[in-house]
Amino acid sequence: MNGHVKNMHFHQFMESAAALLAFLLLLAVGSTRVVAASRNPQCGNALQQTLKMTRLTQKEAVNLIKTYKTAQGERSELFCKVSVNNIPDPNISGLEPSERIASIYTHLQSFSPHFKRVYEQQTDLQPPTSLLLNELAVVSTHSRSLALLVKNFYHNYFPNVPLPEPAGGPTTLPPPQNVFQQKIYGCGVLKAFRELLSNISRDLRTLKNKVCRRKILTNTSF
């Protein structure tokens, strides 16, 4: 066998070996991704738990508004049609998943003092056994639980990105109000909170694939 033929066979052998190595690497990467996916159910489970709490609180918020209107007596529909200032914006902001999850958390935090103010106002207007006071307390508690779930998820999956405080610092509460203003304010807070929960529910469904898939792919890097 002359040198030319040997070289030709050698190049063919090297090309075949390179193709085989590339194929084996693809298999290795593919199997690594499958293993990573099977070992990383926590991400999807954590978001699913958060979404479940969001939907529960959202359902309660819808019922709360109905109870609120009933408790306000006559002209309750009129109260709830008036626009209200000095309440948190229910729209979630941010381009990256980490930014949007952080926005969800800060928005939930922003509503907390407003819920407290509405509860205090309604305590003066409703009897102690009022269904409204009970529902306000339950929704407020679930809102804080949801904020804690979001916070824990953020720290687990974005540990290197500090969680920001609500934009603009502490939420400004309204000055002293008369009864008519209190009823308007309370309905405005509850409606905005209901809208926030709707936005959170939609965002979590979208973010589930983005965040958890990104986590899996990060685990497969060499």
Short mmCIF file of all heavy atoms in Angstrom, two decimals, residues 126-174:
data_model
loop_
_atom_site.label_atom_id
_atom_site.label_comp_id
_atom_site.label_asym_id
_atom_site.label_seq_id
_atom_site.Cartn_x
_atom_site.Cartn_y
_atom_site.Cartn_z
N GLN A 126 -68.46 48.61 60.19
CA GLN A 126 -69.17 47.33 60.19
C GLN A 126 -69.23 46.74 61.61
O GLN A 126 -68.36 47.02 62.44
CB GLN A 126 -68.45 46.32 59.27
CG GLN A 126 -68.19 46.81 57.87
CD GLN A 126 -69.47 47.09 57.09
OE1 GLN A 126 -70.50 46.44 57.31
NE2 GLN A 126 -69.41 48.04 56.16
N PRO A 127 -70.23 45.90 61.87
CA PRO A 127 -70.28 45.21 63.18
C PRO A 127 -69.13 44.21 63.29
O PRO A 127 -68.60 43.74 62.28
CB PRO A 127 -71.64 44.51 63.15
CG PRO A 127 -71.97 44.36 61.70
CD PRO A 127 -71.40 45.56 61.03
N PRO A 128 -68.72 43.86 64.50
CA PRO A 128 -67.59 42.94 64.69
C PRO A 128 -67.77 41.58 64.01
O PRO A 128 -66.78 40.93 63.64
CB PRO A 128 -67.52 42.78 66.22
CG PRO A 128 -68.19 44.00 66.75
CD PRO A 128 -69.26 44.35 65.77
N THR A 129 -69.01 41.15 63.87
CA THR A 129 -69.27 39.84 63.26
C THR A 129 -69.44 39.93 61.74
O THR A 129 -69.87 38.96 61.10
CB THR A 129 -70.54 39.23 63.86
OG1 THR A 129 -71.65 40.15 63.67
CG2 THR A 129 -70.36 38.96 65.34
N SER A 130 -69.08 41.06 61.16
CA SER A 130 -69.28 41.28 59.73
C SER A 130 -68.52 40.26 58.89
O SER A 130 -67.33 39.98 59.14
CB SER A 130 -68.82 42.70 59.35
OG SER A 130 -68.75 42.86 57.96
N LEU A 131 -69.19 39.72 57.88
CA LEU A 131 -68.54 38.81 56.93
C LEU A 131 -67.44 39.54 56.17
O LEU A 131 -66.41 38.94 55.85
CB LEU A 131 -69.58 38.26 55.94
CG LEU A 131 -69.07 37.34 54.84
CD1 LEU A 131 -68.42 36.10 55.42
CD2 LEU A 131 -70.21 36.96 53.88
N LEU A 132 -67.62 40.82 55.91
CA LEU A 132 -66.63 41.60 55.18
C LEU A 132 -65.30 41.65 55.92
O LEU A 132 -64.24 41.46 55.31
CB LEU A 132 -67.14 43.02 54.94
CG LEU A 132 -66.14 44.01 54.33
CD1 LEU A 132 -65.68 43.52 52.96
CD2 LEU A 132 -66.75 45.40 54.22
N LEU A 133 -65.34 41.87 57.23
CA LEU A 133 -64.11 41.94 58.01
C LEU A 133 -63.37 40.60 57.97
O LEU A 133 -62.14 40.56 57.87
CB LEU A 133 -64.41 42.33 59.45
CG LEU A 133 -64.97 43.74 59.66
CD1 LEU A 133 -65.26 43.98 61.13
CD2 LEU A 133 -64.01 44.79 59.11
N ASN A 134 -64.12 39.53 58.05
CA ASN A 134 -63.50 38.19 58.00
C ASN A 134 -62.84 37.95 56.64
O ASN A 134 -61.71 37.47 56.57
CB ASN A 134 -64.56 37.13 58.27
CG ASN A 134 -63.98 35.73 58.22
OD1 ASN A 134 -63.16 35.34 59.05
ND2 ASN A 134 -64.40 34.95 57.23
N GLU A 135 -63.54 38.28 55.56
CA GLU A 135 -62.99 38.06 54.22
C GLU A 135 -61.79 38.97 53.96
O GLU A 135 -60.82 38.56 53.31
CB GLU A 135 -64.07 38.27 53.16
CG GLU A 135 -65.14 37.18 53.17
CD GLU A 135 -66.11 37.31 52.01
OE1 GLU A 135 -65.87 38.12 51.10
OE2 GLU A 135 -67.13 36.58 52.01
N LEU A 136 -61.84 40.19 54.46
CA LEU A 136 -60.69 41.09 54.32
C LEU A 136 -59.46 40.51 55.01
O LEU A 136 -58.35 40.55 54.45
CB LEU A 136 -61.01 42.46 54.93
CG LEU A 136 -61.75 43.46 54.05
CD1 LEU A 136 -62.23 44.65 54.88
CD2 LEU A 136 -60.87 43.94 52.90
N ALA A 137 -59.65 39.96 56.20
CA ALA A 137 -58.54 39.37 56.95
C ALA A 137 -57.96 38.16 56.22
O ALA A 137 -56.74 37.98 56.14
CB ALA A 137 -59.00 38.99 58.35
N VAL A 138 -58.84 37.33 55.67
CA VAL A 138 -58.39 36.12 54.97
C VAL A 138 -57.60 36.47 53.71
O VAL A 138 -56.51 35.94 53.47
CB VAL A 138 -59.60 35.22 54.60
CG1 VAL A 138 -59.16 34.11 53.65
CG2 VAL A 138 -60.21 34.63 55.86
N VAL A 139 -58.13 37.39 52.90
CA VAL A 139 -57.45 37.77 51.66
C VAL A 139 -56.13 38.45 51.97
O VAL A 139 -55.11 38.22 51.29
CB VAL A 139 -58.35 38.67 50.80
CG1 VAL A 139 -57.56 39.23 49.61
CG2 VAL A 139 -59.56 37.90 50.30
N SER A 140 -56.11 39.29 53.00
CA SER A 140 -54.86 39.94 53.38
C SER A 140 -53.81 38.93 53.81
O SER A 140 -52.63 39.02 53.43
CB SER A 140 -55.13 40.93 54.53
OG SER A 140 -53.95 41.58 54.91
N THR A 141 -54.22 37.92 54.56
CA THR A 141 -53.29 36.86 54.99
C THR A 141 -52.77 36.06 53.80
O THR A 141 -51.57 35.77 53.71
CB THR A 141 -53.99 35.91 55.99
OG1 THR A 141 -54.38 36.66 57.13
CG2 THR A 141 -53.06 34.79 56.41
N HIS A 142 -53.65 35.72 52.89
CA HIS A 142 -53.23 34.97 51.71
C HIS A 142 -52.34 35.79 50.80
O HIS A 142 -51.46 35.25 50.12
CB HIS A 142 -54.46 34.46 50.95
CG HIS A 142 -55.13 33.31 51.63
ND1 HIS A 142 -56.34 32.79 51.24
CD2 HIS A 142 -54.74 32.55 52.70
CE1 HIS A 142 -56.67 31.78 52.02
NE2 HIS A 142 -55.72 31.61 52.91
N SER A 143 -52.56 37.09 50.77
CA SER A 143 -51.69 37.97 49.99
C SER A 143 -50.27 37.95 50.54
O SER A 143 -49.29 37.88 49.78
CB SER A 143 -52.24 39.40 50.00
OG SER A 143 -51.35 40.28 49.34
N ARG A 144 -50.14 37.98 51.85
CA ARG A 144 -48.80 37.92 52.47
C ARG A 144 -48.16 36.56 52.24
O ARG A 144 -46.94 36.46 52.02
CB ARG A 144 -48.90 38.23 53.97
CG ARG A 144 -49.27 39.67 54.28
CD ARG A 144 -49.03 40.00 55.75
NE ARG A 144 -49.87 39.20 56.63
CZ ARG A 144 -51.09 39.54 57.02
NH1 ARG A 144 -51.62 40.68 56.58
NH2 ARG A 144 -51.78 38.77 57.84
N SER A 145 -48.97 35.49 52.29
CA SER A 145 -48.44 34.15 52.02
C SER A 145 -47.94 34.04 50.58
O SER A 145 -46.89 33.44 50.31
CB SER A 145 -49.51 33.09 52.28
OG SER A 145 -49.92 33.10 53.62
N LEU A 146 -48.69 34.62 49.66
CA LEU A 146 -48.29 34.61 48.25
C LEU A 146 -46.99 35.39 48.06
O LEU A 146 -46.09 34.95 47.33
CB LEU A 146 -49.40 35.21 47.40
CG LEU A 146 -49.12 35.35 45.89
CD1 LEU A 146 -48.80 33.99 45.28
CD2 LEU A 146 -50.33 35.97 45.19
N ALA A 147 -46.88 36.53 48.73
CA ALA A 147 -45.65 37.33 48.64
C ALA A 147 -44.45 36.53 49.16
O ALA A 147 -43.35 36.60 48.58
CB ALA A 147 -45.80 38.63 49.42
N LEU A 148 -44.66 35.76 50.21
CA LEU A 148 -43.57 34.95 50.76
C LEU A 148 -43.16 33.84 49.79
O LEU A 148 -41.96 33.56 49.62
CB LEU A 148 -44.00 34.35 52.10
CG LEU A 148 -42.95 33.51 52.83
CD1 LEU A 148 -41.73 34.34 53.15
CD2 LEU A 148 -43.55 32.93 54.13
N LEU A 149 -44.13 33.21 49.13
CA LEU A 149 -43.83 32.19 48.14
C LEU A 149 -43.00 32.78 46.99
O LEU A 149 -42.02 32.18 46.53
CB LEU A 149 -45.12 31.59 47.58
CG LEU A 149 -45.88 30.61 48.49
CD1 LEU A 149 -47.22 30.25 47.85
CD2 LEU A 149 -45.06 29.36 48.74
N VAL A 150 -43.41 33.95 46.53
CA VAL A 150 -42.70 34.61 45.43
C VAL A 150 -41.29 34.98 45.87
O VAL A 150 -40.31 34.80 45.12
CB VAL A 150 -43.47 35.87 44.97
CG1 VAL A 150 -42.66 36.64 43.93
CG2 VAL A 150 -44.82 35.49 44.39
N LYS A 151 -41.16 35.49 47.09
CA LYS A 151 -39.84 35.88 47.61
C LYS A 151 -38.90 34.67 47.70
O LYS A 151 -37.74 34.74 47.29
CB LYS A 151 -40.00 36.52 48.98
CG LYS A 151 -38.70 36.98 49.61
CD LYS A 151 -38.96 37.61 50.97
CE LYS A 151 -37.65 38.08 51.62
NZ LYS A 151 -37.90 38.70 52.95
N ASN A 152 -39.40 33.57 48.24
CA ASN A 152 -38.58 32.36 48.36
C ASN A 152 -38.17 31.83 46.99
O ASN A 152 -37.02 31.39 46.80
CB ASN A 152 -39.34 31.28 49.14
CG ASN A 152 -39.48 31.63 50.61
OD1 ASN A 152 -38.74 32.45 51.15
ND2 ASN A 152 -40.45 31.02 51.27
N PHE A 153 -39.10 31.84 46.05
CA PHE A 153 -38.78 31.37 44.70
C PHE A 153 -37.69 32.25 44.09
O PHE A 153 -36.74 31.74 43.49
CB PHE A 153 -40.02 31.39 43.81
CG PHE A 153 -39.76 30.90 42.41
CD1 PHE A 153 -39.83 29.55 42.12
CD2 PHE A 153 -39.40 31.78 41.40
CE1 PHE A 153 -39.55 29.08 40.84
CE2 PHE A 153 -39.13 31.32 40.12
CZ PHE A 153 -39.20 29.97 39.84
N TYR A 154 -37.83 33.55 44.25
CA TYR A 154 -36.85 34.48 43.69
C TYR A 154 -35.46 34.22 44.25
O TYR A 154 -34.47 34.13 43.51
CB TYR A 154 -37.28 35.91 43.99
CG TYR A 154 -36.41 36.96 43.33
CD1 TYR A 154 -36.74 37.46 42.07
CD2 TYR A 154 -35.26 37.44 43.95
CE1 TYR A 154 -35.94 38.41 41.45
CE2 TYR A 154 -34.46 38.40 43.34
CZ TYR A 154 -34.81 38.88 42.10
OH TYR A 154 -34.00 39.82 41.48
N HIS A 155 -35.36 34.08 45.56
CA HIS A 155 -34.05 33.86 46.18
C HIS A 155 -33.45 32.52 45.79
O HIS A 155 -32.23 32.38 45.68
CB HIS A 155 -34.17 33.96 47.71
CG HIS A 155 -34.33 35.35 48.21
ND1 HIS A 155 -33.55 36.41 47.75
CD2 HIS A 155 -35.17 35.88 49.13
CE1 HIS A 155 -33.90 37.51 48.38
NE2 HIS A 155 -34.89 37.24 49.21
N ASN A 156 -34.28 31.51 45.55
CA ASN A 156 -33.78 30.19 45.17
C ASN A 156 -33.27 30.15 43.75
O ASN A 156 -32.28 29.47 43.45
CB ASN A 156 -34.88 29.14 45.35
CG ASN A 156 -35.12 28.79 46.80
OD1 ASN A 156 -34.24 28.94 47.64
ND2 ASN A 156 -36.33 28.34 47.11
N TYR A 157 -33.93 30.87 42.83
CA TYR A 157 -33.59 30.76 41.42
C TYR A 157 -32.89 31.97 40.84
O TYR A 157 -32.41 31.93 39.71
CB TYR A 157 -34.85 30.42 40.62
CG TYR A 157 -35.33 29.03 40.94
CD1 TYR A 157 -36.27 28.80 41.94
CD2 TYR A 157 -34.79 27.92 40.30
CE1 TYR A 157 -36.66 27.52 42.29
CE2 TYR A 157 -35.17 26.63 40.64
CZ TYR A 157 -36.10 26.44 41.63
OH TYR A 157 -36.48 25.17 41.97
N PHE A 158 -32.80 33.04 41.61
CA PHE A 158 -32.00 34.20 41.21
C PHE A 158 -31.18 34.67 42.42
O PHE A 158 -31.31 35.81 42.87
CB PHE A 158 -32.90 35.34 40.70
CG PHE A 158 -33.80 34.93 39.57
CD1 PHE A 158 -35.14 34.63 39.80
CD2 PHE A 158 -33.31 34.83 38.27
CE1 PHE A 158 -35.96 34.25 38.76
CE2 PHE A 158 -34.13 34.44 37.23
CZ PHE A 158 -35.46 34.15 37.48
N PRO A 159 -30.32 33.79 42.96
CA PRO A 159 -29.62 34.09 44.22
C PRO A 159 -28.62 35.23 44.10
O PRO A 159 -28.26 35.83 45.12
CB PRO A 159 -28.92 32.77 44.54
CG PRO A 159 -28.74 32.11 43.21
CD PRO A 159 -29.96 32.47 42.41
N ASN A 160 -28.17 35.53 42.89
CA ASN A 160 -27.15 36.57 42.71
C ASN A 160 -27.74 37.93 42.37
O ASN A 160 -26.99 38.88 42.13
CB ASN A 160 -26.17 36.15 41.61
CG ASN A 160 -25.44 34.87 41.95
OD1 ASN A 160 -25.08 34.64 43.11
ND2 ASN A 160 -25.25 34.00 40.97
N VAL A 161 -29.07 38.03 42.34
CA VAL A 161 -29.72 39.29 42.00
C VAL A 161 -30.53 39.75 43.21
O VAL A 161 -31.53 39.13 43.55
CB VAL A 161 -30.65 39.14 40.77
CG1 VAL A 161 -31.20 40.50 40.35
CG2 VAL A 161 -29.91 38.47 39.62
N PRO A 162 -30.11 40.83 43.87
CA PRO A 162 -30.83 41.30 45.07
C PRO A 162 -32.28 41.64 44.74
O PRO A 162 -32.58 42.18 43.67
CB PRO A 162 -30.05 42.55 45.49
CG PRO A 162 -28.69 42.39 44.87
CD PRO A 162 -28.92 41.65 43.58
N LEU A 163 -33.16 41.33 45.64
CA LEU A 163 -34.58 41.63 45.46
C LEU A 163 -34.81 43.10 45.81
O LEU A 163 -34.53 43.52 46.94
CB LEU A 163 -35.44 40.74 46.35
CG LEU A 163 -36.94 40.76 46.13
CD1 LEU A 163 -37.28 40.27 44.73
CD2 LEU A 163 -37.64 39.88 47.16
N PRO A 164 -35.28 43.89 44.87
CA PRO A 164 -35.45 45.33 45.13
C PRO A 164 -36.64 45.62 46.04
O PRO A 164 -37.56 44.81 46.17
CB PRO A 164 -35.67 45.92 43.73
CG PRO A 164 -36.32 44.80 42.98
CD PRO A 164 -35.68 43.53 43.50
N GLU A 165 -36.59 46.78 46.65
CA GLU A 165 -37.73 47.26 47.44
C GLU A 165 -38.76 47.86 46.49
O GLU A 165 -38.45 48.16 45.34
CB GLU A 165 -37.26 48.32 48.44
CG GLU A 165 -36.36 47.77 49.54
CD GLU A 165 -37.06 46.73 50.38
OE1 GLU A 165 -38.26 46.91 50.68
OE2 GLU A 165 -36.42 45.73 50.75
N PRO A 166 -40.01 48.02 46.96
CA PRO A 166 -41.02 48.66 46.10
C PRO A 166 -40.54 49.99 45.57
O PRO A 166 -39.94 50.78 46.29
CB PRO A 166 -42.22 48.84 47.05
CG PRO A 166 -42.05 47.75 48.06
CD PRO A 166 -40.57 47.59 48.25
N ALA A 167 -40.77 50.24 44.28
CA ALA A 167 -40.31 51.47 43.64
C ALA A 167 -40.89 52.68 44.36
O ALA A 167 -42.06 52.75 44.67
CB ALA A 167 -40.73 51.49 42.17
N GLY A 168 -40.03 53.66 44.59
CA GLY A 168 -40.50 54.88 45.23
C GLY A 168 -40.59 54.77 46.74
O GLY A 168 -41.08 55.69 47.40
N GLY A 169 -40.12 53.67 47.33
CA GLY A 169 -40.17 53.52 48.77
C GLY A 169 -41.53 53.08 49.25
O GLY A 169 -42.35 52.58 48.48
N PRO A 170 -41.81 53.25 50.53
CA PRO A 170 -43.09 52.82 51.10
C PRO A 170 -44.28 53.46 50.39
O PRO A 170 -44.23 54.62 49.98
CB PRO A 170 -42.99 53.29 52.56
CG PRO A 170 -41.53 53.41 52.82
CD PRO A 170 -40.91 53.83 51.52
N THR A 171 -45.32 52.70 50.24
CA THR A 171 -46.52 53.20 49.56
C THR A 171 -47.17 54.30 50.39
O THR A 171 -47.32 54.18 51.60
CB THR A 171 -47.53 52.06 49.35
OG1 THR A 171 -46.88 51.02 48.63
CG2 THR A 171 -48.74 52.54 48.56
N THR A 172 -47.55 55.38 49.72
CA THR A 172 -48.20 56.49 50.40
C THR A 172 -49.67 56.18 50.62
O THR A 172 -50.40 55.86 49.69
CB THR A 172 -48.08 57.78 49.57
OG1 THR A 172 -46.70 58.06 49.33
CG2 THR A 172 -48.72 58.96 50.29
N LEU A 173 -50.10 56.27 51.86
CA LEU A 173 -51.51 56.05 52.19
C LEU A 173 -52.25 57.38 52.08
O LEU A 173 -51.66 58.45 52.23
CB LEU A 173 -51.63 55.48 53.60
CG LEU A 173 -51.10 54.06 53.78
CD1 LEU A 173 -51.10 53.69 55.27
CD2 LEU A 173 -51.92 53.06 52.99
N PRO A 174 -53.54 57.32 51.84
CA PRO A 174 -54.31 58.56 51.71
C PRO A 174 -54.44 59.29 53.04
O PRO A 174 -54.34 58.67 54.11
CB PRO A 174 -55.67 58.06 51.21
CG PRO A 174 -55.77 56.67 51.73
CD PRO A 174 -54.38 56.13 51.66
#
